[in-house]
């Protein structure tokens, strides 16, 4: 498939193998269910034991391509680095060198395959501009060091997010810059058993800024409007909503972890109209990355942005002040709130919409208070 939007075509399946680091391979799968690299490794493993791929000759070839032939090809055919030796690699030094170089060679081969697909246009995007390969190979790897080592994100309640089908993920919003939305999306992509993609609804400003606008589209964001949200939910996607908007993102540090108004309940109307469950999400940690002491309002008006923050490090330290503080994060996905039982009349009842909105907001607020008490320290 070329790099043209095609909403009717199903996304390309991923390779069933694991990488040398034990992570799911994110390359597109061929007819065998493996990418070109892992399919070649499977053939080499079968050749060493005197058989053909798919035949249990001298080793255990499992259904779905899991081979154990003189070594371990895990979950679809990824050979450990120690098993990649040919007839001339019998010496200990050669084997050690091959083992040391194997991760780099794997990375280089995967990177070259990714570049080939970018240059030839052989990668999928959908009607909204979402580019899953760019997210998997470029954007997500850039965010993982922040997620794993800087903020040490702890995720709870992933069992409340369905493995398949639509759901509306509703979270609190804070932190001056929308890193909380990115961390929620990365938690679902990396740690959810189904590695689900979160299609986030973003404000108009995200699609007007240079550099940010194309990345917002390619990373799965779309305009925060009911029409786009309903189309995504009808397609069985996870849709992310941050009802506080800029009121939450740019609130002063003195109001940390106190939820702002959730607007008129537009996300609840979308959930009722589509019969989609609402999954409340509480994010602890984002409030401390840029403690906002004040806003330069005149500068903000000149730049056409909602606020220009003043923090303990910015603008005092210049560009160094843009480095976020290493707070400890906890992201909790709460039990879903079902909407399918309300019926079509609920949309015409303002009190029903208000009650559901208030239930979601109260669930997030109480979870925030509980996790703040459990966290122990801001930077621990």
């Amino acid at each position: 498939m070329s790099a043209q939007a095609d909403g009717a075509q199903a996304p390309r399946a991923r390779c069933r193998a694991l990488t040398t680091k034990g992570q799911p391979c994110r390359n597109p799968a061929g007819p065998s269910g493996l990418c070109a690299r892992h399919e070649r490794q499977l053939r080499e493993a079968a050749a060493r034991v005197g058989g053909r791929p798919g035949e249990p000759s001298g080793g255990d070839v499992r259904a779905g391509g899991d081979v154990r032939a003189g070594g371990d090809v895990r979950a679809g055919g990824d050979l450990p680095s120690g098993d990649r030796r040919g007839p001339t690699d019998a010496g200990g030094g050669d084997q050690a060198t091959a083992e040391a170089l194997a991760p780099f060679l794997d990375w280089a081969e995967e990177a070259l395959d990714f570049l080939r697909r970018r240059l030839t246009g052989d990668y999928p995007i959908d009607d909204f501009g979402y580019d899953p390969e760019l997210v998997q190979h470029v954007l997500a790897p850039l965010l993982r060091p922040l997620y794993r080592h800087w903020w040490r994100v702890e995720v709870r309640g992933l069992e409340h997010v369905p493995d398949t089908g639509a759901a509306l993920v509703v979270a609190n919003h804070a932190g001056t810059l929308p890193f909380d939305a990115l961390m929620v999306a990365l938690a679902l992509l990396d740690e959810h058993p189904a590695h689900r993609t979160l299609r986030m609804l973003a404000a108009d400003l995200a699609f007007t800024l240079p550099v940010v606008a194309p990345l917002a589209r390619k990373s799965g964001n779309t305009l925060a409007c009911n029409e786009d949200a309903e189309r995504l939910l009808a397609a069985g996607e996870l849709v992310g909503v941050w009802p506080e908007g800029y009121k939450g993102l740019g609130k002063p540090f003195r109001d940390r972890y106190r939820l702002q108004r959730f607007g008129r309940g537009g996300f609840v109307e979308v959930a009722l109209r589509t019969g989609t469950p609402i999954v409340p999400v509480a994010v602890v940690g984002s409030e401390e990355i840029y403690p906002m002491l004040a806003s330069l309002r005149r500068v903000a008006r000149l730049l056409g942005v909602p606020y220009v923050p003043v923090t303990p490090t910015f603008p005092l330290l210049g560009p160094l002040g843009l480095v976020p503080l290493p707070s400890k994060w906890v992201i909790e996905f709460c039990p879903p709130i079902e909407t399918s039982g309300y019926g079509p009349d609920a949309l015409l009842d303002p009190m029903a919409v208000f009650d559901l909105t208030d239930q979601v907001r109260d669930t997030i607020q109480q979870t925030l208070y509980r996790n703040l008490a459990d966290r122990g320290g801001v930077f621990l």
Side-chain angles (χ1 to χ4, degrees), residues 57-68:
S57 173
D60 181 13
V61 184
R62 301 172 187 262
D66 183 15
V67 182
R68 300 182 183 274

Side-chain angles (χ1 to χ4, degrees), residues 226 243 247 261-270 350 353-354 357:
N226 290 357
K247 297 190 303 293
R261 288 184 62 251
F262 270 22
R264 298 187 298 272
F267 71 92
V268 168
E269 294 177 0
V270 169
V353 173
F354 174 81
T357 304

